[in-house]
Structure formats: structure tokens, C-alpha cells
Amino acid sequence: MTQDDLLTRAQAWLAEDPDPETREELAALLDRGATDELAARFGGTLQFGTAGLRGELGAGPMRMNRSVVIRAAAGLAAHLKAKGRTGGLVVIGYDARYKSADFARDTAAVMTGAGLRAALLPRPLPTPVLAYAIRHLGAVAGVEVTASHNPPRDNGYKVYLGDGSQIVPPADAEIAAEIDAVRSLHDVPRPDDGWEVLDDEVLEAYLARTDAVLTQGSPRTARTVYTAMHGVGKDVLTAAFARAGFPPPTLVAEQADPDPAFPTVAFPNPEEPGAMDLAFEAARAVDPDLVIANDPDADRCAVAVPAPDAEGGWRMLRGDEVGALLAAHLVHKGATGVFAESIVSSSLLGRIAEAAGVGYEETLTGFKWIARVDGLRYGYEEALGYCVDPEGVRDKDGITAALLVTELASELKEQGRTLTDLLDDLAVAHGLHATDQLSVRVEDLGIIANAMAALRERPPASLAGLTVVSAEDLTKGTESLPPTDGLRYHLEGAHKARVIVRPSGTEPKLKCYLEVVVPVGDASELAAARATGAEVLAAIKRDLAEAAGL
């Protein structure tokens, strides 16, 4: 694009931008002649994919703003009408990030202008409430305005269809084509009213449904510390806990209420270093049975347990550990159906399912795939996502997962046992499934592309001294999986080591998922097995980083 083309495109965008803030921002860039910055914003368009849209707030087609959202909403509306959904209901939810309420209202206006019915949730609420509302209200689609656990400067736009689960191909490409067909915002009718703002009936129905995940008469004694991570989870989670009869969680006051600046954390993600420090500080003061955290839109659930040997006395459980605990609990409760997980999650779930005689299925990464498994009873992903009530919410749900893990902790507490004890039992029964992740956040997305190219051109012959016995390029798909941008390696030996490498679909990260399975004879061997697992994982991580040029 020449400089003249760049300026022409920026000026045309400025002329139809409906937001005074981004108009002022863009006008200032034009006045300064900030060519590099303008090129970064106008050198392409933010791509609409199976995660919808997600990006940094700001003016221009490569940023999240009202103009981009109006075009996205218009594309979704056109797609729905092309599928014969004219007059159908689109329900819209939003979190408490910067511009979320504006983006939600713009979406409602576009849907109304297109001849669809639109309904806004009454205020910022957890993403699972929106996912529930789609099916509860018989909607033809749903939109959630959220960037989940991304940095404060980001926002996003997540799309669901009428089955209550997120879009997958080919719907994403079809919607993207309709977005591209929008020539001017002046062509998109946006009335000032005509949509519905829902009352609390949907929220009350969701809360009533949360009781379904618990066993009637089960113990409800576990004491918790809870952080909402500056997000929208607090009111809904505390209401759900009160309905269930659990002790009121001790709140991490500094992080309890929504704040789009996320002032106490570098990244509002319980997995990030330092994000749980205030929660652990609160736990040391009140000595609970477990610590629970939601991410800002409360679709993820993190769990930490007392660990006298750990620095600070608490240890975050990995998502794979919580996934296994919830599976074991559901088996104990007599659950039937299919247990599912994505390919990047621990193979332990398959072993639990096999031993229990329940179905098991592996999917591509993301709940858009997990939620579509036929006969699904339980699904999880290692990134702290758990679907424990698929008939209610066909997506990950950090509220119902928190209820279920607290019920499990209560049952164990009545027996004088802990979540850690149950993890030990699972390791003895099925082998110690040790997992780790090599996650590299980048400013330049070219680093990720180069790393993937290096691994494809020169696949490692061995990792941690173990021969790579199979190397799959998942872009070609497999017998059971559609194509995706990823690589999977299996290593020789009794440890059944496995590595999967893929670019993140929601953040500028390259993610490498590692698993080692160490056989365990009895509980006396657990400490040695953990040491072996940690040693092999560390060596795989080191060798993989070198092979990828990271």
C-alpha cells in the first residue's frame, strides 16, 4: 500500500467512524503524519475466525472498535438471514471491559435494523450466562463481547449459533465473507431503539440450573477463598454458592469488583505468574480448604490447594489436574455419557473414562469442538475450562465448575481427605500424568510462523534423549480430527511422552503442550515418579525450544 493509499483509507475510515474517541485518536495520527502507526492499523483487517474477533482497542480495521463491531454484526445478521433466520432472536451479553457495553448496544442496533429481534443481557455478566440464555430463550444466535483473560487494552467478539455452542467452520468463513461484503457503515441500518433489555429472569433461570450439577444432600462444608480477577464473576458465583448452601467464600477484596484496568495483575489470567498472589495472601489469613479463581468473564475456573512444601503454602492445580478430579467425581456420582477433551489436554481423562466404562472422545482445541461431541456428559481443556452441565451450558463454565469442585472438596473433607489425596489415588491407579507447557508470548507474530516453519522443515529426531517415533502435521487432519495448524510428536519409551505445538487462537503466543506418563506401583513411589516426570518434562522443554529456535 502506498502512502497515498494509506492516507486515503484512513481518511475514509475517519469519515464514517461513529465513535468520538476513536475519531479523535485517528485524526491525531493523521495530523502527526504517523505513517508507521497508521500502517499498523490499516495494513489489513482484524480476521474473523472461529474465536470470533479479538484484538487491541483503537481506531482502524486492525483494531477493536465500534466500526469493526458494526461490520461484524452486519455480517452475522446477513449470514442468519441467508440461513432463513429472519425474525429470529439474537441474544447479546457483555463483560465489564472498556467499550464492551458500547459494542453490545451497537450489535443490538444492527440486528434490529436487519429485521432480527435482539435482546441484551441486563448488565455485565459471565459468558456462561449468555451461553445458557441462547438455548433458554430459543435464540438463533448469541454474541458475547469479551476478551476473556487478555490484557486490559484488548476486547473481543465471540459468536454462538442457536445450538448454544460457538461457531465452527464453515460458519466462520461464511460470516467473514458477509463482513467483507459490507462496503460502508452508511449501508448498515442502526435504529436508536427497538431491542429488548432483559430482566433478571434469565440469570435466575441460570442460577436455578446450577443446582443440577450437585448431588442432593451432598456435603457442603468446604471453605473457600475466591477472586473474580477484577471481572464479572463475583455476584453470580456468590449467589450460586449461597443457593447451594456452601459457606460464603472469603472474597479477595482488591479484585472482587469489575475494573477494566485490572490494576493488581499484569495479565488477568489465573495461570499467569503473580495473578494469584493476593488470593494466596488472603488464604494464609483465613486458612480455607481451597482457593478458587475465575478469569474476568468467569468461563474459566482455577483451583489452588494447601501445599506446606510450596512457597507461600499454596499450590495452583494445573488445568489437567482439575479436569481429572472433576472426571473422577462425576464417575463417583454415576455419570454416564461421553467424556471429552481437546488434543492438548492430558491423556489421563481417557484412562479414567475407560476404567469407568464411559465413552471418551478427543477433539481439536476449543470448546467450540468439545461442546459438539455427541452424547457429551463432561468436557474439559487444560486451559482451566470445564463443561460440567452440557445440557445447560454448551461451553466452558467457571461457575458450575467451582460448585462441583467445592462439592468434591466437601465430600473429601468429611472423609478426612483432600483433593491432593485424590490426585495421588488417580496417579497410583492410572500412572502419574505429568504435564507442562512451553508458552512464548511475542510482539512479532512472525516469530511464531518461523518457529512452526522450522519444526516442519527440520522436525526433531529426539527430545530429552527419547526418539521421536511419530511426527504428525495436523494441518493435514487425521482419521478422527479435521485439519488444524499444529504438530504432534510421540516419543519412544515407557513414559508415553507426547508433545503438541500450536499457535494460540486468542493471544500472540506459541503454545507447546508436554505430557509424560510415569508408571506408579503404589503410593510410596509417588515422590520418585514426580521427580522423574519433572526431569523429563524439563529436558523436553529445553530441547523443543532449541529445535523451534525460541
Side-chain angles (χ1 to χ4, degrees), residues 54 57 92-104 121 123-127 130 143-152 154-158 230-233 258-260 262 268 295-299:
R54 198 175 290 189
L57 291 164
I92 303 149
Y94 56 102
D95 66 12
R97 284 177 176 267
Y98 296 120
K99 296 288 183 182
S100 284
D102 295 337
F103 295 168
L121 292 185
R123 58 186 171 278
L125 287 167
T127 294
L130 180 277
V143 171
E144 177 70 16
V145 181
T146 181
S148 190
H149 56 278
N150 276 39
D154 289 2
N155 212 327
Y157 199 78
K158 186 183 291 189
H230 298 296
V232 297
D259 187 335
F262 303 106
D295 66 338
D297 69 326
D299 62 351

Side-chain angles (χ1 to χ4, degrees), residues 188-391:
V188 182
R190 300 198 313 277
D192 293 329
D193 54 31
W195 56 87
E196 180 183 4
V197 178
L198 298 167
D199 58 21
D200 277 350
E201 185 276 330
V202 166
L203 176 59
E204 287 302 316
Y206 168 81
L207 285 168
R209 177 79 201 186
T210 61
D211 296 346
V213 306
L214 303 175
T215 300
Q216 191 170 356
S218 63
R220 310 282 167 92
T221 55
R223 295 168 52 251
T224 57
V225 160
Y226 170 72
T227 175
M229 206 66 67
H230 298 296
V232 297
K234 180 195 71 175
D235 290 346
V236 178
L237 181 132
T238 53
F241 270 55
R243 289 179 66 101
F246 289 114
T250 298
L251 302 180
V252 179
E254 303 94 327
Q255 298 174 335
D257 295 318
D259 187 335
F262 303 106
T264 68
V265 291
F267 293 97
N269 178 355
E271 293 180 294
E272 293 284 350
M276 295 290 287
D277 287 356
L278 288 172
F280 293 157
E281 186 178 313
R284 287 190 287 273
V286 299
D287 193 27
D289 298 296
L290 67 166
V291 172
I292 290 173
N294 286 139
D295 66 338
D297 69 326
D299 62 351
R300 287 174 168 84
C301 176
V303 180
V305 295
D309 297 337
E311 184 179 350
W314 285 83
R315 179 176 82 85
M316 268 277 288
L317 297 181
R318 291 186 175 278
D320 284 320
E321 291 177 305
V322 178
L325 288 168
L326 291 176
H329 186 42
L330 288 167
V331 166
H332 177 68
K333 287 156 69 83
T336 58
V338 178
F339 285 16
E341 63 180 342
S342 64
I343 57 172
V344 299
S345 304
S346 171
S347 59
L348 176 55
L349 182 68
R351 297 183 184 212
I352 292 171
E354 182 181 12
V358 301
Y360 169 75
E361 192 161 326
E362 201 176 48
T363 75
L364 292 184
T365 308
F367 273 82
K368 58 184 176 281
W369 299 107
I370 293 170
R372 285 183 158 76
V373 168
D374 287 341
L376 181 68
R377 175 59 187 87
Y378 168 64
Y380 100 91
E381 192 157 71
E382 55 74 43
L384 310 182
Y386 315 96
C387 175
V388 301
D389 178 25
E391 288 305 305

Side-chain angles (χ1 to χ4, degrees), residues 45-53 68 70-80 82-83 157 159 161 167-183:
T45 57
L46 206 57
Q47 290 302 300
F48 185 92
T50 48
L53 293 166
V68 164
I70 290 166
R71 289 171 182 274
L76 173 59
H79 171 78
L80 293 171
K83 298 293 184 183
Y157 199 78
V159 177
L161 293 181
I167 56 169
V168 295
D172 57 335
E174 292 168 356
I175 295 169
E178 297 285 8
I179 294 170
D180 289 344
V182 178
R183 289 288 160 254

Side-chain angles (χ1 to χ4, degrees), residues 395-528:
D395 199 3
K396 54 188 178 292
D397 183 346
I399 306 296
T400 49
L403 287 170
L404 197 61
V405 78
T406 307
E407 178 186 57
L408 172 58
S410 298
E411 289 191 1
L412 292 167
K413 184 177 181 179
E414 297 295 300
Q415 302 164 18
R417 304 178 75 235
T418 66
L419 296 177
T420 304
D421 293 328
L422 181 52
L423 285 171
D424 287 350
D425 291 349
L426 292 172
V428 171
H430 305 292
L432 177 75
H433 287 63
T435 59
D436 201 357
Q437 193 177 125
L438 172 62
S439 181
V440 182
R441 184 182 293 273
V442 300
E443 293 291 331
D444 177 7
L445 291 176
I447 295 172
I448 294 176
N450 291 340
M452 295 297 290
L455 290 170
R456 285 190 167 105
E457 291 165 12
R458 298 178 299 281
S462 67
L463 295 168
L466 301 170
T467 300
V468 175
V469 293
S470 73
E472 297 170 277
D473 187 341
L474 299 177
T475 54
K476 300 169 185 174
T478 70
E479 286 185 9
S480 58
L481 298 171
T484 188
D485 186 8
L487 300 164
R488 179 164 58 181
Y489 306 113
H490 290 281
L491 311 184
E492 69 173 350
H495 292 155
K496 298 183 175 66
R498 183 204 69 190
V499 174
I500 293 171
V501 185
R502 59 179 283 273
S504 169
T506 56
E507 297 178 273
K509 282 183 174 181
L510 182 68
K511 303 183 90 169
C512 311
Y513 307 84
L514 324 175
E515 181 178 50
V516 172
V517 183
V518 184
V520 178
D522 58 45
S524 68
E525 298 177 13
L526 281 170

